[in-house]
Amino acid sequence: MGYRAFVDLVAPPLLGRFRLRAYSQVMTPSRLRWLVEPGSPTVELAGLFAAAGHQLYLVGGSVRDALLSRSHDDLDFTTDARPEQIKKIVGKWATAVYTVGQVFGTIGIRKAGMSAEITTFRSEIYRDDSRKPHVTFSDRLEEDLSRRDFTVNAIALRLPDLEAVDPYHGLADLGRKLLRTPLDPEVAFSDDPLRMLRLFRFQATLGFHPDEAAVEAVRSMANRLQIISAERIRDELSKIMEAPRPSRALKAVVSAGLADQFFPELPALAMEQDPVHRHKDVLSHTLAVVDKTSPDLVLRLAALFHDIGKPATREIGADGVRFHHHEVVGARLTRDRLRALRYPKEIVEQVGRLVFLHLRPHTLKMGWTDSAVRRYANDAGPLLGRLNELVRCDVTTANRRKAEAIGRRLDELEERIAELAEREELDRMRPPIDGNQVMEFLGIPPGPQVGEIMEILYERLLEDGPYSEEEAFEMVREWATKKRLTS
Ligand code: ATP
Ligand code: MG
């Protein structure tokens, strides 16, 4: 039986009775073996800490992801050693040592392809930038684990023997795919309100479900998110957006009242009827579009914001509801919101532009001129691929014929862009000599003969690609000899 199956089926009841000692004695799952491979940097590091009389544990996301066989970039370690001691222990051994996080107890290191953070056990920590960093170190691992966000992130593996320390039953929760705080959720969320958003972030990235009590707590204390910096919120939002299917987590962020705190335009979409798509409201349509797009941050954000201008532009007329120029208003709202969330300028501009352009292809009737096609491609610039994908994914109508018609129109548009590009590429290619040089060389006046020879020179270009000026004159001479124009 695979380890995953073991956790799913056996672990919850087993762990309840025997705790984790049983688990580590039963097996060292193959997915953890790389941690204890002789000569590996993790083994060497554990040796250094042991020699200095200190404990070392792998902890947090790196343990969780190792157990789930997911890749994880950086390793997180925790230790009873204080930051000064950590620096002494790893100083000579590591290739690089980073101390930017030292006030929080964290020393970063690199060694032989391993990038890791080693943090002293902590019993208290305010992480928000708006408050003075406040950290209390601890001598007890259990205390450190109790301050972590979720039980699945609060499992520690002692090195080098891989004994699991799991006082909050994170392994059982991994098996149940459950996101639960180690302490009471009210306590956990008031200690650091960002954890409320992280709850839904992990729902999106891991596909786990949030514990009902935790969701209840978010509902009652969502406004605490106000004290959290825009940068920290932005990073969690980005991780949600890059998850395989963000819709369910986004919906939960809205319904728990969290979105109101940092992105109020999103819940406003739920109030808006959707007269065109098959969804009952604009929010549901938006979330469906998000899930359909590929997980690229710019494209996903554009999907999330594409109809954001609808509530502000709604007009009810004789022939139903209209959202006149909602893409223009939407692009402005998009830029404002992304700026407030401290997204880099380039992302703000790219997402804003995609929102601005997302309706353009719908004006494509049979009669789009070359110049309209050219302008579309030009306005989209390097975003063309993403724009076309956004427009395709925006089609969520239940009406098959209508959906197919829009799909065909987009195919046609893409073909025309490709054709135009090819033609213009060729137009940019010119034979190495021009008509004047031909006339001068042969001593003939302008006329159809010049056109004829230019055609030949151009044909050769299409056939063989670029050639030299001498070759061109040689061709002119041959042509003239045939025509007996020269002696
Ligand atoms: P990923 O790296 O995949 O985003 P992660 O779980 O490693 O997920 P990080 O933000 O890298 O998340 O944090 C590493 C670990 O630090 C977490 O697993 C958790 O144990 C702890 N942690 C991080 N942020 C918080 C927080 N706001 N409150 C409590 N614990 C946290
Ligand atoms: Mg991490």
Side-chain angles (χ1 to χ4, degrees):
M1 176 165 55
Y3 177 71
R4 180 75 169 274
F6 166 78
V7 167
D8 285 344
L9 296 172
V10 184
L14 179 84
L15 297 177
R17 261 178 282 149
F18 300 116
R19 305 278 311 270
L20 281 157
R21 193 170 290 276
Y23 142 79
S24 69
Q25 283 166 0
V26 169
M27 54 192 6
T28 296
S30 61
R31 70 204 59 194
L32 297 183
R33 234 165 264 154
W34 58 275
L35 283 167
V36 288
E37 214 68 74
S40 74
T42 41
V43 170
E44 284 186 19
L45 188 65
L48 291 175
F49 275 80
H54 289 289
Q55 310 156 40
L56 186 71
Y57 297 85
L58 190 69
V59 73
S62 30
V63 172
R64 177 200 72 219
D65 287 345
L67 292 171
L68 293 172
S69 291
R70 290 166 59 97
S71 64
H72 194 102
D73 293 340
D74 303 329
L75 300 183
D76 285 313
F77 294 98
T78 188
T79 178
D80 60 324
R82 299 294 150 107
E84 284 302 329
Q85 298 168 309
I86 300 175
K87 279 198 288 191
K88 274 198 203 108
I89 294 171
V90 299
K92 288 216 185 76
W93 175 78
T95 349
V97 176
Y98 306 95
T99 55
V100 282
Q102 189 166 346
V103 281
F104 291 103
T106 301
I107 302 294
I109 58 162
R110 269 179 193 284
K111 169 81 179 184
M114 175 179 82
S115 153
E117 291 194 334
I118 308 171
T119 304
T120 307
F121 297 158
R122 297 177 294 206
S123 60
E124 208 181 339
I125 171 166
Y126 298 134
R127 293 163 205 256
D128 193 52
D129 327 325
S130 64
R131 295 201 232 163
K132 252 174 71 181
H134 178 85
V135 174
T136 313
F137 295 131
S138 166
D139 295 318
R140 291 180 48 236
L141 172 66
E142 276 74 7
E143 197 166 22
D144 178 281
L145 296 177
S146 76
R147 295 296 168 157
R148 291 185 178 261
D149 49 3
F150 302 105
T151 60
V152 293
N153 292 339
I155 307 165
L157 287 181
R158 190 169 70 195
L159 288 170
D161 63 359
L162 289 187
E163 162 136 352
V165 181
D166 182 31
Y168 300 99
H169 306 294
L171 271 171
D173 289 339
L174 267 188
R176 292 188 289 181
K177 299 178 187 288
L178 183 64
L179 295 164
R180 213 164 46 85
T181 52
L183 304 177
D184 208 29
E186 280 84 7
V187 176
F189 296 159
S190 47
D191 282 351
D192 179 3
L194 187 73
R195 292 172 189 162
M196 297 190 284
L197 190 54
R198 287 172 67 88
L199 177 68
F200 301 114
R201 189 262 273 196
F202 287 117
Q203 175 182 19
T205 56
L206 302 175
F208 285 16
H209 40 269
D211 173 44
E212 201 37 56
V215 176
E216 266 315 308
V218 176
R219 243 181 234 127
S220 66
M221 54 196 294
N223 63 348
R224 305 273 190 101
L225 196 70
Q226 289 297 338
I227 63 161
I228 299 299
S229 72
E231 288 81 357
R232 294 183 75 208
I233 292 175
R234 171 201 64 202
D235 290 347
E236 297 300 329
L237 176 64
S238 296
K239 286 184 175 173
I240 293 176
M241 296 313 292
E242 288 173 314
R245 286 167 58 88
S247 64
R248 203 191 296 209
L250 285 170
K251 207 179 226 161
V253 167
V254 170
S255 66
L258 270 187
D260 293 311
Q261 310 303 320
F262 66 94
F263 184 9
E265 298 84 359
L266 190 65
L269 297 182
M271 318 302 280
E272 206 58 65
Q273 297 298 306
D274 186 336
V276 181
H277 306 97
R278 93 188 119 103
H279 303 277
K280 63 183 188 311
D281 59 60
V282 178
L283 179 63
S284 306
H285 161 71
T286 294
L287 298 183
V289 177
V290 168
D291 276 359
K292 281 168 78 181
T293 49
S294 20
D296 161 82
L297 183 61
V298 166
L299 178 58
R300 281 279 175 83
L301 286 172
L304 186 63
F305 280 88
H306 79 283
D307 277 349
I308 215 76
K310 279 191 170 174
T313 55
R314 184 177 62 165
E315 273 168 36
I316 300 177
D319 46 351
V321 56
R322 296 199 322 158
F323 305 98
H324 200 50
H325 290 317
H326 80 82
E327 78 283 16
V328 180
V329 174
R332 205 190 63 231
L333 292 174
T334 299
R335 292 195 174 97
D336 289 349
R337 179 51 61 200
L338 291 178
R339 253 182 237 125
L341 286 170
R342 303 275 190 276
Y343 273 96
K345 210 164 141 200
E346 190 168 276
I347 292 193
V348 174
E349 280 318 305
Q350 290 179 332
V351 178
R353 178 153 286 259
L354 287 169
V355 172
F356 182 75
L357 291 173
H358 85 276
L359 288 178
R360 184 87 73 82
H362 294 288
T363 67
L364 171 74
K365 299 279 144 52
M366 290 309 116
W368 258 32
T369 59
D370 277 358
S371 90
V373 174
R374 199 178 293 117
R375 199 166 302 130
Y376 174 75
N378 198 54
D379 287 349
L383 294 170
L384 184 63
R386 288 184 179 115
L387 180 56
N388 287 340
E389 184 175 342
L390 175 63
V391 176
R392 280 181 194 282
C393 294
D394 190 13
V395 182
T396 60
T397 170
N399 183 333
R400 273 260 293 288
R401 292 243 302 280
K402 201 166 146 192
E404 282 167 8
I406 299 174
R408 267 198 308 278
R409 233 182 286 156
L410 279 165
D411 289 343
E412 187 203 328
L413 178 56
E414 280 176 356
E415 272 163 34
R416 285 189 60 189
I417 291 170
E419 269 170 32
L420 208 59
E422 200 175 315
R423 219 182 318 141
E424 286 173 1
E425 184 68 26
L426 288 178
D427 284 352
R428 265 198 299 281
M429 283 167 58
R430 301 237 168 271
I433 56 175
D434 64 14
N436 288 324
Q437 287 168 290
V438 170
M439 290 186 283
E440 203 176 300
F441 183 72
L442 296 177
I444 56 171
Q449 288 179 323
V450 182
E452 196 181 314
I453 181 81
M454 287 313 293
E455 191 59 39
I456 293 170
L457 294 175
Y458 193 65
E459 273 305 313
R460 157 111 191 247
L461 192 64
L462 294 185
E463 205 55 36
D464 304 340
Y467 53 97
S468 73
E469 218 170 279
E470 290 83 69
E471 287 175 288
F473 282 121
E474 189 50 41
M475 286 169 69
V476 176
R477 191 177 298 116
E478 273 171 30
W479 177 86
T481 316
K482 243 187 261 162
K483 296 268 171 176
R484 296 181 215 292
L485 275 179
T486 52
S487 48

